[in-house]
Amino acid sequence: MSATGLSDPRAASALRAAQMYYLQDMTMDAIARELSTSRSSVSRLLSHARETGLVEIQIHQPQGQELQLEETIRARFGIAAHVVPTPKNLSDVERFERVAMSAARLLPLYFDSNMTLGIGWGSTLDAISRHLPRKETHNTTVVQLNGAGNTFTTGIDYASEILQRFGQAFGSGIQQFPVPAFFDDPLTKEAMWRERSMRRVLDLQARADVVVFGLGSPFAEVPSRVYIGGYLSRDDYRSLREDNVVGDIATVFYRQDGTWQDIELNARATGPAFGVLGRVARRICVVSGVQKLASLRGAIATGLVTDLVLDEHLAEHLVDR
């Protein structure tokens, strides 16, 4: 348990309640009596302790008894998988939220002081950002991986809100990437990438220690923002169909066999090239819903995924030959 921020009376009460509950095995009723408060107040204090990082809960599976799905994914694809238990009768929206919450709880295990975290904006990262527990770090930066502007909006407010939540959760500085998601002309992108102001952000992205991304897909019940936010024209959709695209990572598109270099729209995309992204040590993919199976298989084929957070139903389909 952490003892930071105890100048706040509520934090001090939350820590005391957490110590009695987790370390002394006291019931919430017994804690309520000792603190002269209600059981519901104790429950709120314990929730506050978890949300603010006073308490960090880890589940350790018995050695040699890892979930079979995780073992299979590791053996077959060389990926460290975290399979989120999800009943099959859940809607894709509920499944999506559970996976996002699990990813948010896992991220503090991988991101620490003196590190840079790269994030791709979108529906998945937005959901993760809303569930992040607090973990105080030092000398850390959260950097946006791809532009968010289009012909209707700069996208700054949307992307900034996600970045701000990550920054607040980890006490990190944030670095926006104020460019469109796609340039109209590849030559404009090439010229912008030569600017020193852009080079600084691009270099920061390339030096990231951890990146977190969802998988864009036109087939998911929870729509990927790039496909519903006015980022793509009819000509763009036609181009993606002709190139047999199954998904995107930070607005860089790929096929089911993992190829991406010759996809026409990628010449205008502002997300990091997969050759750059592949040099990051830990690359965490968060995905849910069986509709994203083709996108997931393609993402694995790119070789970018080192860690995978996914729902149980999707994991079963992934390992089903």
Side-chain angles (χ1 to χ4, degrees):
M1 291 187 189
S2 169
T4 60
L6 297 185
S7 58
D8 176 5
R10 189 182 182 199
S13 297
L15 178 60
R16 187 175 178 187
Q19 288 172 328
M20 289 188 282
Y21 186 76
Y22 291 107
L23 301 182
Q24 300 172 28
D25 290 331
M26 292 175 63
T27 66
M28 283 195 277
D29 288 329
I31 296 170
R33 287 193 298 271
E34 184 156 328
L35 297 182
S36 300
T37 188
S38 66
R39 190 180 189 278
S40 60
S41 294
V42 172
S43 178
R44 286 192 292 271
L45 287 173
L46 293 173
S47 295
H48 183 70
R50 292 192 297 270
E51 291 166 0
T52 57
L54 290 171
V55 170
E56 295 180 0
I57 298 174
Q58 297 184 32
I59 299 175
H60 297 281
Q61 296 171 179
Q63 188 172 5
Q65 299 296 316
E66 294 180 3
L67 292 174
Q68 184 176 355
L69 284 170
E70 294 178 355
E71 279 189 339
T72 303
I73 291 171
R74 182 181 292 108
R76 190 176 299 176
F77 304 111
I79 293 171
H82 179 84
V83 176
V84 180
T86 48
K88 290 185 179 180
N89 61 353
L90 283 183
S91 71
D92 266 14
V93 175
E94 293 172 308
R95 206 180 299 272
F96 171 79
E97 285 294 330
R98 290 197 187 187
V99 170
M101 182 179 292
S102 296
R105 297 295 191 265
L106 287 168
L107 187 54
L109 301 177
Y110 306 129
F111 184 58
D112 212 333
S113 295
N114 304 309
M115 296 177 74
T116 297
L117 172 67
I119 62 171
W121 56 264
S123 303
T124 300
L125 270 295
D126 182 40
I128 292 171
S129 72
R130 289 186 274 106
H131 295 296
L132 286 169
R134 291 187 184 176
K135 175 183 178 179
E136 194 64 32
T137 63
H138 305 282
N139 189 35
T140 56
T141 302
V142 180
V143 60
Q144 181 180 337
L145 290 179
N146 52 317
N150 60 24
T151 55
F152 303 103
T153 174
T154 64
I156 290 175
D157 290 343
Y158 175 72
S160 176
E161 189 173 3
I162 298 173
L163 284 166
Q164 290 287 353
R165 292 192 196 119
F166 272 86
Q168 290 169 2
F170 295 109
S172 303
I174 62 172
Q175 176 60 64
Q176 293 182 330
F177 195 30
V179 295
F182 303 98
F183 285 103
D184 290 335
D185 188 333
L187 295 178
T188 306
K189 172 184 169 180
E190 292 175 13
M192 283 290 290
W193 270 207
R194 290 194 295 269
E195 292 291 324
R196 285 181 296 171
S197 59
M198 290 296 102
R199 288 295 339 155
R200 181 179 60 82
V201 182
L202 294 170
D203 290 345
L204 190 59
Q205 294 171 354
R207 296 198 308 271
D209 301 282
V210 182
V211 292
V212 184
F213 53 86
L215 300 180
S217 169
F219 314 114
E221 186 175 320
V222 179
S224 303
R225 190 172 178 89
V226 71
Y227 297 98
I228 63 170
Y231 291 92
L232 301 172
S233 67
R234 289 183 179 180
D235 288 341
D236 292 333
Y237 277 109
R238 182 168 58 251
S239 175
L240 293 177
R241 285 194 299 271
E242 291 172 353
D243 279 328
N244 298 313
V245 164
V246 296
D248 75 275
I249 295 173
T251 60
V252 176
F253 299 93
Y254 56 86
R255 303 182 183 90
Q256 190 153 346
D257 62 2
T259 56
W260 61 276
Q261 293 95 330
D262 60 338
I263 293 174
E264 183 179 355
L265 196 53
N266 286 344
R268 299 192 282 115
T270 56
F274 290 172
V276 173
L277 208 56
R279 293 197 289 269
V280 177
R282 188 178 294 273
R283 307 178 295 274
I284 305 170
C285 174
V286 183
V287 59
S288 69
V290 73
Q291 294 93 338
K292 287 198 173 181
L293 179 60
S295 300
L296 176 56
R297 284 178 170 157
I300 290 173
T302 68
L304 287 179
V305 181
T306 62
D307 298 79
L308 178 62
V309 184
L310 75 168
D311 67 86
E312 188 175 11
H313 193 40
L314 177 56
E316 289 172 350
H317 281 75
L318 177 63
V319 301
D320 186 355
R321 292 188 183 277

